[in-house]
């Protein structure tokens, strides 16, 4: 499985844009990149998924360079409620389904 | 859309008893569901992959006779922790992938405490 590496923690002030970068040097051709948010004692919540270039939805943007060896999750104007752990996952095609391995994640602390 | 539920949300049991946790995809069908375990302040660890109508595939180090998985339909998978011990106390999370998609959607988790 493609291993991912993220910063263990980040701090940001409210209202700022936060960019969390993840490296996945051995990503395979069929692998997608997915980001999840997890609050304590809850299951991970899907944020965004992409394969290449840029993807944007109502909560975040995902930037993926041409070599796909890294990706950056961008959260615009964070609020205190965005304090959570963010996981970058790379799915591996395991014969009809995508299998993922969770890394350490990035603990984002939003400061008032 | 893509909602996954788990039941119960938390359970306390005595050592030696068995506990069943249900995972349901509420608004989609899923041939594949996954079971994870998460210890405090740690990341999720994949325990097994549950395929509808076939035997589950367990990750290395996970005892298949202790963690029984049944995927009886396209919307339901169950995890039974047999002869539970205090070291089995953990947060168990399931996920499901809608047919034809690659994204996993996670349930809210089940907190198991074995006394």
């Amino acid at each position: 499985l493609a291993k991912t590496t993220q910063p263990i923690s980040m701090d940001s002030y409210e209202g700022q844009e936060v960019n969390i970068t993840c490296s996945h040097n051995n990503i395979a051709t069929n692998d997608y990149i997915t980001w999840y948010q997890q609050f304590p004692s809850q299951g991970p919540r899907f944020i965004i998924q992409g394969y290449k270039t840029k993807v944007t939805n109502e909560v975040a943007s995902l930037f993926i360079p041409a070599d796909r060896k890294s990706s950056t999750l961008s959260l615009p104007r964070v609020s205190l409620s965005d304090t959570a752990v963010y996981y970058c996952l790379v799915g591996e095609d395991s014969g009809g389904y995508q299998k993922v391995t969770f890394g350490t994640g990035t603990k984002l602390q939003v400061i008032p | 859309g893509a909602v996954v539920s788990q039941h119960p949300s938390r359970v306390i049991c005595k050592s030696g008893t068995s506990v069943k946790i249900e995972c349901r995809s509420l608004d989609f069908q899923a041939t594949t569901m996954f079971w994870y375990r998460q210890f405090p302040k740690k990341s999720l660890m994949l325990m097994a992959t549950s395929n509808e109508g076939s035997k589950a595939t367990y990750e290395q180090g996970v005892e298949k006779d202790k963690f029984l998985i049944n995927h009886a339909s396209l919307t339901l998978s169950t995890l039974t922790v047999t002869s539970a011990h205090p070291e089995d106390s953990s947060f168990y999370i399931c996920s499901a992938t809608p047919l034809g998609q690659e994204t996993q959607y996670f349930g809210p988790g089940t907190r198991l405490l074995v006394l």
Side-chain angles (χ1 to χ4, degrees), chain B residues 39-75:
Chain B
F39 291 107
K41 300 190 185 300
K42 300 293 185 181
S43 187
L44 282 76
M45 290 178 51
L46 180 64
M47 298 175 66
T49 302
S50 169
N51 294 297
E52 188 265 339
S54 64
K55 291 183 178 180
T57 302
Y58 291 81
E59 295 299 303
Q60 191 173 7
V62 178
E63 299 176 58
K64 62 180 182 180
D65 294 330
K66 181 168 185 60
F67 298 100
L68 301 179
I69 292 173
N70 184 281
H71 195 151
S73 75
L74 289 174
T75 59

PDB file of all heavy atoms in Angstrom, chain B residues 39-75:
ATOM      1  N   PHE B  39      -7.318   2.834  18.859  1.00  0.00           N
ATOM      2  CA  PHE B  39      -7.011   3.033  20.266  1.00  0.00           C
ATOM      3  C   PHE B  39      -6.846   4.528  20.514  1.00  0.00           C
ATOM      4  O   PHE B  39      -6.595   5.300  19.576  1.00  0.00           O
ATOM      5  CB  PHE B  39      -5.756   2.247  20.645  1.00  0.00           C
ATOM      6  CG  PHE B  39      -5.966   0.757  20.619  1.00  0.00           C
ATOM      7  CD1 PHE B  39      -5.424  -0.018  19.619  1.00  0.00           C
ATOM      8  CD2 PHE B  39      -6.732   0.141  21.596  1.00  0.00           C
ATOM      9  CE1 PHE B  39      -5.625  -1.392  19.580  1.00  0.00           C
ATOM     10  CE2 PHE B  39      -6.951  -1.234  21.567  1.00  0.00           C
ATOM     11  CZ  PHE B  39      -6.402  -1.994  20.544  1.00  0.00           C
ATOM     12  N   PRO B  40      -6.972   4.945  21.790  1.00  0.00           N
ATOM     13  CA  PRO B  40      -6.915   6.378  22.110  1.00  0.00           C
ATOM     14  C   PRO B  40      -5.672   7.059  21.550  1.00  0.00           C
ATOM     15  O   PRO B  40      -4.558   6.548  21.686  1.00  0.00           O
ATOM     16  CB  PRO B  40      -6.928   6.386  23.635  1.00  0.00           C
ATOM     17  CG  PRO B  40      -7.655   5.134  24.008  1.00  0.00           C
ATOM     18  CD  PRO B  40      -7.256   4.128  22.976  1.00  0.00           C
ATOM     19  N   LYS B  41      -5.907   8.179  20.894  1.00  0.00           N
ATOM     20  CA  LYS B  41      -4.851   9.022  20.339  1.00  0.00           C
ATOM     21  C   LYS B  41      -4.024   8.309  19.271  1.00  0.00           C
ATOM     22  O   LYS B  41      -2.904   8.737  18.976  1.00  0.00           O
ATOM     23  CB  LYS B  41      -3.947   9.559  21.441  1.00  0.00           C
ATOM     24  CG  LYS B  41      -4.678  10.403  22.480  1.00  0.00           C
ATOM     25  CD  LYS B  41      -3.728  11.104  23.403  1.00  0.00           C
ATOM     26  CE  LYS B  41      -4.482  11.846  24.496  1.00  0.00           C
ATOM     27  NZ  LYS B  41      -5.393  12.866  23.957  1.00  0.00           N
ATOM     28  N   LYS B  42      -4.549   7.253  18.722  1.00  0.00           N
ATOM     29  CA  LYS B  42      -3.868   6.529  17.655  1.00  0.00           C
ATOM     30  C   LYS B  42      -4.689   6.596  16.376  1.00  0.00           C
ATOM     31  O   LYS B  42      -5.851   7.000  16.382  1.00  0.00           O
ATOM     32  CB  LYS B  42      -3.639   5.060  18.041  1.00  0.00           C
ATOM     33  CG  LYS B  42      -2.787   4.875  19.279  1.00  0.00           C
ATOM     34  CD  LYS B  42      -1.371   5.335  19.038  1.00  0.00           C
ATOM     35  CE  LYS B  42      -0.502   5.032  20.253  1.00  0.00           C
ATOM     36  NZ  LYS B  42       0.906   5.507  20.052  1.00  0.00           N
ATOM     37  N   SER B  43      -4.074   6.162  15.302  1.00  0.00           N
ATOM     38  CA  SER B  43      -4.763   6.151  14.018  1.00  0.00           C
ATOM     39  C   SER B  43      -5.620   4.890  13.888  1.00  0.00           C
ATOM     40  O   SER B  43      -5.544   3.980  14.712  1.00  0.00           O
ATOM     41  CB  SER B  43      -3.729   6.214  12.899  1.00  0.00           C
ATOM     42  OG  SER B  43      -4.377   6.355  11.664  1.00  0.00           O
ATOM     43  N   LEU B  44      -6.433   4.867  12.849  1.00  0.00           N
ATOM     44  CA  LEU B  44      -7.260   3.690  12.595  1.00  0.00           C
ATOM     45  C   LEU B  44      -6.399   2.564  12.033  1.00  0.00           C
ATOM     46  O   LEU B  44      -5.524   2.789  11.204  1.00  0.00           O
ATOM     47  CB  LEU B  44      -8.363   4.003  11.582  1.00  0.00           C
ATOM     48  CG  LEU B  44      -9.576   4.769  12.067  1.00  0.00           C
ATOM     49  CD1 LEU B  44      -9.269   6.238  12.245  1.00  0.00           C
ATOM     50  CD2 LEU B  44     -10.743   4.597  11.089  1.00  0.00           C
ATOM     51  N   MET B  45      -6.709   1.349  12.494  1.00  0.00           N
ATOM     52  CA  MET B  45      -6.008   0.169  11.975  1.00  0.00           C
ATOM     53  C   MET B  45      -7.029  -0.749  11.325  1.00  0.00           C
ATOM     54  O   MET B  45      -8.008  -1.135  11.954  1.00  0.00           O
ATOM     55  CB  MET B  45      -5.290  -0.559  13.102  1.00  0.00           C
ATOM     56  CG  MET B  45      -4.095   0.177  13.675  1.00  0.00           C
ATOM     57  SD  MET B  45      -3.338  -0.716  15.019  1.00  0.00           S
ATOM     58  CE  MET B  45      -3.119  -2.344  14.308  1.00  0.00           C
ATOM     59  N   LEU B  46      -6.783  -1.079  10.077  1.00  0.00           N
ATOM     60  CA  LEU B  46      -7.686  -1.980   9.362  1.00  0.00           C
ATOM     61  C   LEU B  46      -7.591  -3.373   9.960  1.00  0.00           C
ATOM     62  O   LEU B  46      -6.505  -3.927  10.122  1.00  0.00           O
ATOM     63  CB  LEU B  46      -7.317  -2.021   7.879  1.00  0.00           C
ATOM     64  CG  LEU B  46      -8.174  -2.934   7.003  1.00  0.00           C
ATOM     65  CD1 LEU B  46      -9.623  -2.450   6.963  1.00  0.00           C
ATOM     66  CD2 LEU B  46      -7.592  -2.990   5.587  1.00  0.00           C
ATOM     67  N   MET B  47      -8.765  -3.922  10.304  1.00  0.00           N
ATOM     68  CA  MET B  47      -8.810  -5.269  10.851  1.00  0.00           C
ATOM     69  C   MET B  47      -9.137  -6.285   9.754  1.00  0.00           C
ATOM     70  O   MET B  47      -8.505  -7.328   9.660  1.00  0.00           O
ATOM     71  CB  MET B  47      -9.889  -5.367  11.927  1.00  0.00           C
ATOM     72  CG  MET B  47      -9.660  -4.477  13.127  1.00  0.00           C
ATOM     73  SD  MET B  47     -11.058  -4.566  14.260  1.00  0.00           S
ATOM     74  CE  MET B  47     -10.955  -6.260  14.805  1.00  0.00           C
ATOM     75  N   ALA B  48     -10.151  -5.967   8.959  1.00  0.00           N
ATOM     76  CA  ALA B  48     -10.597  -6.933   7.966  1.00  0.00           C
ATOM     77  C   ALA B  48     -11.437  -6.264   6.899  1.00  0.00           C
ATOM     78  O   ALA B  48     -12.009  -5.191   7.101  1.00  0.00           O
ATOM     79  CB  ALA B  48     -11.408  -8.040   8.648  1.00  0.00           C
ATOM     80  N   THR B  49     -11.490  -6.920   5.767  1.00  0.00           N
ATOM     81  CA  THR B  49     -12.328  -6.495   4.652  1.00  0.00           C
ATOM     82  C   THR B  49     -13.458  -7.501   4.517  1.00  0.00           C
ATOM     83  O   THR B  49     -13.209  -8.715   4.424  1.00  0.00           O
ATOM     84  CB  THR B  49     -11.509  -6.450   3.347  1.00  0.00           C
ATOM     85  OG1 THR B  49     -10.408  -5.570   3.523  1.00  0.00           O
ATOM     86  CG2 THR B  49     -12.372  -5.972   2.193  1.00  0.00           C
ATOM     87  N   SER B  50     -14.669  -6.983   4.516  1.00  0.00           N
ATOM     88  CA  SER B  50     -15.853  -7.823   4.486  1.00  0.00           C
ATOM     89  C   SER B  50     -16.503  -7.749   3.110  1.00  0.00           C
ATOM     90  O   SER B  50     -16.856  -6.679   2.650  1.00  0.00           O
ATOM     91  CB  SER B  50     -16.831  -7.311   5.548  1.00  0.00           C
ATOM     92  OG  SER B  50     -18.099  -7.910   5.425  1.00  0.00           O
ATOM     93  N   ASN B  51     -16.614  -8.877   2.456  1.00  0.00           N
ATOM     94  CA  ASN B  51     -17.221  -8.937   1.130  1.00  0.00           C
ATOM     95  C   ASN B  51     -18.546  -9.690   1.196  1.00  0.00           C
ATOM     96  O   ASN B  51     -18.627 -10.790   1.749  1.00  0.00           O
ATOM     97  CB  ASN B  51     -16.290  -9.637   0.144  1.00  0.00           C
ATOM     98  CG  ASN B  51     -15.036  -8.822  -0.098  1.00  0.00           C
ATOM     99  OD1 ASN B  51     -15.094  -7.718  -0.609  1.00  0.00           O
ATOM    100  ND2 ASN B  51     -13.888  -9.360   0.284  1.00  0.00           N
ATOM    101  N   GLU B  52     -19.577  -9.088   0.642  1.00  0.00           N
ATOM    102  CA  GLU B  52     -20.902  -9.682   0.664  1.00  0.00           C
ATOM    103  C   GLU B  52     -20.907 -11.042   0.009  1.00  0.00           C
ATOM    104  O   GLU B  52     -20.435 -11.199  -1.122  1.00  0.00           O
ATOM    105  CB  GLU B  52     -21.898  -8.735  -0.031  1.00  0.00           C
ATOM    106  CG  GLU B  52     -23.348  -9.163   0.092  1.00  0.00           C
ATOM    107  CD  GLU B  52     -23.826  -9.972  -1.078  1.00  0.00           C
ATOM    108  OE1 GLU B  52     -23.207  -9.887  -2.159  1.00  0.00           O
ATOM    109  OE2 GLU B  52     -24.829 -10.688  -0.931  1.00  0.00           O
ATOM    110  N   GLY B  53     -21.379 -12.024   0.737  1.00  0.00           N
ATOM    111  CA  GLY B  53     -21.518 -13.373   0.202  1.00  0.00           C
ATOM    112  C   GLY B  53     -20.269 -14.214   0.219  1.00  0.00           C
ATOM    113  O   GLY B  53     -20.274 -15.342  -0.272  1.00  0.00           O
ATOM    114  N   SER B  54     -19.199 -13.697   0.797  1.00  0.00           N
ATOM    115  CA  SER B  54     -17.973 -14.496   0.873  1.00  0.00           C
ATOM    116  C   SER B  54     -17.290 -14.253   2.209  1.00  0.00           C
ATOM    117  O   SER B  54     -17.692 -13.398   2.985  1.00  0.00           O
ATOM    118  CB  SER B  54     -17.042 -14.155  -0.291  1.00  0.00           C
ATOM    119  OG  SER B  54     -16.616 -12.817  -0.219  1.00  0.00           O
ATOM    120  N   LYS B  55     -16.245 -15.018   2.439  1.00  0.00           N
ATOM    121  CA  LYS B  55     -15.525 -14.887   3.706  1.00  0.00           C
ATOM    122  C   LYS B  55     -14.747 -13.583   3.761  1.00  0.00           C
ATOM    123  O   LYS B  55     -14.256 -13.083   2.759  1.00  0.00           O
ATOM    124  CB  LYS B  55     -14.569 -16.066   3.883  1.00  0.00           C
ATOM    125  CG  LYS B  55     -15.265 -17.400   4.119  1.00  0.00           C
ATOM    126  CD  LYS B  55     -14.242 -18.499   4.366  1.00  0.00           C
ATOM    127  CE  LYS B  55     -14.949 -19.828   4.651  1.00  0.00           C
ATOM    128  NZ  LYS B  55     -13.968 -20.915   4.905  1.00  0.00           N
ATOM    129  N   ALA B  56     -14.609 -13.077   4.968  1.00  0.00           N
ATOM    130  CA  ALA B  56     -13.859 -11.839   5.148  1.00  0.00           C
ATOM    131  C   ALA B  56     -12.367 -12.095   4.990  1.00  0.00           C
ATOM    132  O   ALA B  56     -11.882 -13.203   5.198  1.00  0.00           O
ATOM    133  CB  ALA B  56     -14.153 -11.254   6.528  1.00  0.00           C
ATOM    134  N   THR B  57     -11.669 -11.042   4.630  1.00  0.00           N
ATOM    135  CA  THR B  57     -10.209 -11.096   4.526  1.00  0.00           C
ATOM    136  C   THR B  57      -9.627 -10.336   5.697  1.00  0.00           C
ATOM    137  O   THR B  57      -9.877  -9.137   5.854  1.00  0.00           O
ATOM    138  CB  THR B  57      -9.739 -10.451   3.204  1.00  0.00           C
ATOM    139  OG1 THR B  57     -10.352 -11.117   2.108  1.00  0.00           O
ATOM    140  CG2 THR B  57      -8.218 -10.553   3.093  1.00  0.00           C
ATOM    141  N   TYR B  58      -8.847 -11.030   6.518  1.00  0.00           N
ATOM    142  CA  TYR B  58      -8.311 -10.437   7.733  1.00  0.00           C
ATOM    143  C   TYR B  58      -6.883  -9.931   7.523  1.00  0.00           C
ATOM    144  O   TYR B  58      -6.103 -10.536   6.789  1.00  0.00           O
ATOM    145  CB  TYR B  58      -8.329 -11.453   8.873  1.00  0.00           C
ATOM    146  CG  TYR B  58      -9.729 -11.799   9.340  1.00  0.00           C
ATOM    147  CD1 TYR B  58     -10.507 -12.732   8.656  1.00  0.00           C
ATOM    148  CD2 TYR B  58     -10.284 -11.170  10.451  1.00  0.00           C
ATOM    149  CE1 TYR B  58     -11.790 -13.030   9.069  1.00  0.00           C
ATOM    150  CE2 TYR B  58     -11.567 -11.470  10.880  1.00  0.00           C
ATOM    151  CZ  TYR B  58     -12.313 -12.395  10.179  1.00  0.00           C
ATOM    152  OH  TYR B  58     -13.595 -12.691  10.596  1.00  0.00           O
ATOM    153  N   GLU B  59      -6.570  -8.842   8.195  1.00  0.00           N
ATOM    154  CA  GLU B  59      -5.216  -8.314   8.155  1.00  0.00           C
ATOM    155  C   GLU B  59      -4.302  -9.168   9.043  1.00  0.00           C
ATOM    156  O   GLU B  59      -4.761  -9.853   9.961  1.00  0.00           O
ATOM    157  CB  GLU B  59      -5.188  -6.867   8.612  1.00  0.00           C
ATOM    158  CG  GLU B  59      -5.939  -5.930   7.696  1.00  0.00           C
ATOM    159  CD  GLU B  59      -5.376  -5.905   6.287  1.00  0.00           C
ATOM    160  OE1 GLU B  59      -4.164  -5.595   6.135  1.00  0.00           O
ATOM    161  OE2 GLU B  59      -6.124  -6.212   5.347  1.00  0.00           O
ATOM    162  N   GLN B  60      -3.030  -9.082   8.754  1.00  0.00           N
ATOM    163  CA  GLN B  60      -2.064  -9.855   9.523  1.00  0.00           C
ATOM    164  C   GLN B  60      -2.141  -9.490  10.995  1.00  0.00           C
ATOM    165  O   GLN B  60      -2.192  -8.307  11.355  1.00  0.00           O
ATOM    166  CB  GLN B  60      -0.660  -9.577   8.986  1.00  0.00           C
ATOM    167  CG  GLN B  60       0.406 -10.511   9.514  1.00  0.00           C
ATOM    168  CD  GLN B  60       1.740 -10.306   8.829  1.00  0.00           C
ATOM    169  OE1 GLN B  60       1.909  -9.369   8.038  1.00  0.00           O
ATOM    170  NE2 GLN B  60       2.685 -11.179   9.090  1.00  0.00           N
ATOM    171  N   GLY B  61      -2.183 -10.512  11.826  1.00  0.00           N
ATOM    172  CA  GLY B  61      -2.223 -10.287  13.262  1.00  0.00           C
ATOM    173  C   GLY B  61      -3.623 -10.207  13.847  1.00  0.00           C
ATOM    174  O   GLY B  61      -3.762 -10.138  15.072  1.00  0.00           O
ATOM    175  N   VAL B  62      -4.643 -10.216  13.017  1.00  0.00           N
ATOM    176  CA  VAL B  62      -6.021 -10.175  13.505  1.00  0.00           C
ATOM    177  C   VAL B  62      -6.579 -11.591  13.524  1.00  0.00           C
ATOM    178  O   VAL B  62      -6.574 -12.276  12.504  1.00  0.00           O
ATOM    179  CB  VAL B  62      -6.894  -9.274  12.614  1.00  0.00           C
ATOM    180  CG1 VAL B  62      -8.348  -9.276  13.106  1.00  0.00           C
ATOM    181  CG2 VAL B  62      -6.341  -7.862  12.590  1.00  0.00           C
ATOM    182  N   GLU B  63      -7.048 -12.023  14.696  1.00  0.00           N
ATOM    183  CA  GLU B  63      -7.544 -13.393  14.845  1.00  0.00           C
ATOM    184  C   GLU B  63      -8.944 -13.515  14.270  1.00  0.00           C
ATOM    185  O   GLU B  63      -9.906 -12.933  14.785  1.00  0.00           O
ATOM    186  CB  GLU B  63      -7.572 -13.765  16.319  1.00  0.00           C
ATOM    187  CG  GLU B  63      -6.217 -13.727  17.009  1.00  0.00           C
ATOM    188  CD  GLU B  63      -6.367 -14.019  18.491  1.00  0.00           C
ATOM    189  OE1 GLU B  63      -6.887 -15.104  18.816  1.00  0.00           O
ATOM    190  OE2 GLU B  63      -5.984 -13.175  19.313  1.00  0.00           O
ATOM    191  N   LYS B  64      -9.080 -14.310  13.238  1.00  0.00           N
ATOM    192  CA  LYS B  64     -10.380 -14.448  12.590  1.00  0.00           C
ATOM    193  C   LYS B  64     -11.389 -15.181  13.454  1.00  0.00           C
ATOM    194  O   LYS B  64     -12.608 -14.975  13.321  1.00  0.00           O
ATOM    195  CB  LYS B  64     -10.248 -15.155  11.243  1.00  0.00           C
ATOM    196  CG  LYS B  64      -9.709 -16.567  11.322  1.00  0.00           C
ATOM    197  CD  LYS B  64      -9.629 -17.177   9.933  1.00  0.00           C
ATOM    198  CE  LYS B  64      -9.130 -18.619  10.000  1.00  0.00           C
ATOM    199  NZ  LYS B  64      -9.038 -19.240   8.648  1.00  0.00           N
ATOM    200  N   ASP B  65     -10.916 -16.047  14.351  1.00  0.00           N
ATOM    201  CA  ASP B  65     -11.847 -16.766  15.224  1.00  0.00           C
ATOM    202  C   ASP B  65     -12.314 -15.903  16.383  1.00  0.00           C
ATOM    203  O   ASP B  65     -13.301 -16.227  17.036  1.00  0.00           O
ATOM    204  CB  ASP B  65     -11.180 -18.026  15.771  1.00  0.00           C
ATOM    205  CG  ASP B  65     -10.896 -19.041  14.673  1.00  0.00           C
ATOM    206  OD1 ASP B  65     -11.664 -19.052  13.684  1.00  0.00           O
ATOM    207  OD2 ASP B  65      -9.914 -19.786  14.794  1.00  0.00           O
ATOM    208  N   LYS B  66     -11.614 -14.837  16.634  1.00  0.00           N
ATOM    209  CA  LYS B  66     -12.005 -13.942  17.721  1.00  0.00           C
ATOM    210  C   LYS B  66     -12.904 -12.821  17.197  1.00  0.00           C
ATOM    211  O   LYS B  66     -13.828 -12.395  17.865  1.00  0.00           O
ATOM    212  CB  LYS B  66     -10.777 -13.325  18.374  1.00  0.00           C
ATOM    213  CG  LYS B  66     -11.122 -12.401  19.521  1.00  0.00           C
ATOM    214  CD  LYS B  66      -9.916 -12.027  20.317  1.00  0.00           C
ATOM    215  CE  LYS B  66     -10.330 -11.199  21.516  1.00  0.00           C
ATOM    216  NZ  LYS B  66     -11.253 -11.941  22.406  1.00  0.00           N
ATOM    217  N   PHE B  67     -12.614 -12.366  16.020  1.00  0.00           N
ATOM    218  CA  PHE B  67     -13.389 -11.286  15.418  1.00  0.00           C
ATOM    219  C   PHE B  67     -14.128 -11.854  14.203  1.00  0.00           C
ATOM    220  O   PHE B  67     -13.613 -11.867  13.091  1.00  0.00           O
ATOM    221  CB  PHE B  67     -12.470 -10.136  14.998  1.00  0.00           C
ATOM    222  CG  PHE B  67     -11.733  -9.505  16.144  1.00  0.00           C
ATOM    223  CD1 PHE B  67     -10.410  -9.845  16.407  1.00  0.00           C
ATOM    224  CD2 PHE B  67     -12.358  -8.571  16.962  1.00  0.00           C
ATOM    225  CE1 PHE B  67      -9.722  -9.267  17.468  1.00  0.00           C
ATOM    226  CE2 PHE B  67     -11.672  -7.985  18.022  1.00  0.00           C
ATOM    227  CZ  PHE B  67     -10.359  -8.338  18.276  1.00  0.00           C
ATOM    228  N   LEU B  68     -15.344 -12.313  14.486  1.00  0.00           N
ATOM    229  CA  LEU B  68     -16.144 -12.940  13.444  1.00  0.00           C
ATOM    230  C   LEU B  68     -16.880 -11.873  12.631  1.00  0.00           C
ATOM    231  O   LEU B  68     -17.561 -11.025  13.186  1.00  0.00           O
ATOM    232  CB  LEU B  68     -17.155 -13.908  14.064  1.00  0.00           C
ATOM    233  CG  LEU B  68     -16.560 -15.052  14.899  1.00  0.00           C
ATOM    234  CD1 LEU B  68     -17.680 -15.912  15.463  1.00  0.00           C
ATOM    235  CD2 LEU B  68     -15.610 -15.885  14.079  1.00  0.00           C
ATOM    236  N   ILE B  69     -16.758 -11.966  11.327  1.00  0.00           N
ATOM    237  CA  ILE B  69     -17.394 -10.994  10.443  1.00  0.00           C
ATOM    238  C   ILE B  69     -18.357 -11.711   9.523  1.00  0.00           C
ATOM    239  O   ILE B  69     -18.019 -12.727   8.909  1.00  0.00           O
ATOM    240  CB  ILE B  69     -16.345 -10.231   9.631  1.00  0.00           C
ATOM    241  CG1 ILE B  69     -15.534  -9.325  10.559  1.00  0.00           C
ATOM    242  CG2 ILE B  69     -17.000  -9.399   8.526  1.00  0.00           C
ATOM    243  CD1 ILE B  69     -14.356  -8.647   9.890  1.00  0.00           C
ATOM    244  N   ASN B  70     -19.565 -11.147   9.434  1.00  0.00           N
ATOM    245  CA  ASN B  70     -20.583 -11.672   8.547  1.00  0.00           C
ATOM    246  C   ASN B  70     -21.128 -10.533   7.710  1.00  0.00           C
ATOM    247  O   ASN B  70     -21.499  -9.488   8.225  1.00  0.00           O
ATOM    248  CB  ASN B  70     -21.719 -12.305   9.363  1.00  0.00           C
ATOM    249  CG  ASN B  70     -22.761 -12.952   8.458  1.00  0.00           C
ATOM    250  OD1 ASN B  70     -23.609 -12.273   7.888  1.00  0.00           O
ATOM    251  ND2 ASN B  70     -22.687 -14.244   8.315  1.00  0.00           N
ATOM    252  N   HIS B  71     -21.147 -10.742   6.411  1.00  0.00           N
ATOM    253  CA  HIS B  71     -21.650  -9.712   5.483  1.00  0.00           C
ATOM    254  C   HIS B  71     -22.810 -10.339   4.720  1.00  0.00           C
ATOM    255  O   HIS B  71     -22.654 -10.779   3.586  1.00  0.00           O
ATOM    256  CB  HIS B  71     -20.516  -9.295   4.543  1.00  0.00           C
ATOM    257  CG  HIS B  71     -20.786  -8.028   3.790  1.00  0.00           C
ATOM    258  ND1 HIS B  71     -19.759  -7.205   3.384  1.00  0.00           N
ATOM    259  CD2 HIS B  71     -21.924  -7.447   3.382  1.00  0.00           C
ATOM    260  CE1 HIS B  71     -20.277  -6.172   2.741  1.00  0.00           C
ATOM    261  NE2 HIS B  71     -21.583  -6.297   2.728  1.00  0.00           N
ATOM    262  N   ALA B  72     -23.958 -10.348   5.379  1.00  0.00           N
ATOM    263  CA  ALA B  72     -25.101 -11.116   4.889  1.00  0.00           C
ATOM    264  C   ALA B  72     -25.845 -10.456   3.739  1.00  0.00           C
ATOM    265  O   ALA B  72     -26.522 -11.133   2.959  1.00  0.00           O
ATOM    266  CB  ALA B  72     -26.073 -11.375   6.035  1.00  0.00           C
ATOM    267  N   SER B  73     -25.738  -9.143   3.631  1.00  0.00           N
ATOM    268  CA  SER B  73     -26.466  -8.457   2.566  1.00  0.00           C
ATOM    269  C   SER B  73     -25.640  -7.288   2.064  1.00  0.00           C
ATOM    270  O   SER B  73     -24.576  -6.994   2.607  1.00  0.00           O
ATOM    271  CB  SER B  73     -27.825  -7.960   3.066  1.00  0.00           C
ATOM    272  OG  SER B  73     -27.659  -6.815   3.882  1.00  0.00           O
ATOM    273  N   LEU B  74     -26.153  -6.614   1.059  1.00  0.00           N
ATOM    274  CA  LEU B  74     -25.428  -5.482   0.475  1.00  0.00           C
ATOM    275  C   LEU B  74     -25.492  -4.226   1.344  1.00  0.00           C
ATOM    276  O   LEU B  74     -24.913  -3.203   0.985  1.00  0.00           O
ATOM    277  CB  LEU B  74     -25.979  -5.166  -0.920  1.00  0.00           C
ATOM    278  CG  LEU B  74     -25.659  -6.188  -2.001  1.00  0.00           C
ATOM    279  CD1 LEU B  74     -26.383  -5.838  -3.294  1.00  0.00           C
ATOM    280  CD2 LEU B  74     -24.161  -6.270  -2.244  1.00  0.00           C
ATOM    281  N   THR B  75     -26.203  -4.312   2.473  1.00  0.00           N
ATOM    282  CA  THR B  75     -26.304  -3.151   3.339  1.00  0.00           C
ATOM    283  C   THR B  75     -25.950  -3.449   4.791  1.00  0.00           C
ATOM    284  O   THR B  75     -26.049  -2.568   5.646  1.00  0.00           O
ATOM    285  CB  THR B  75     -27.735  -2.568   3.297  1.00  0.00           C
ATOM    286  OG1 THR B  75     -28.654  -3.567   3.723  1.00  0.00           O
ATOM    287  CG2 THR B  75     -28.096  -2.084   1.907  1.00  0.00           C
TER     288      THR B  75
END
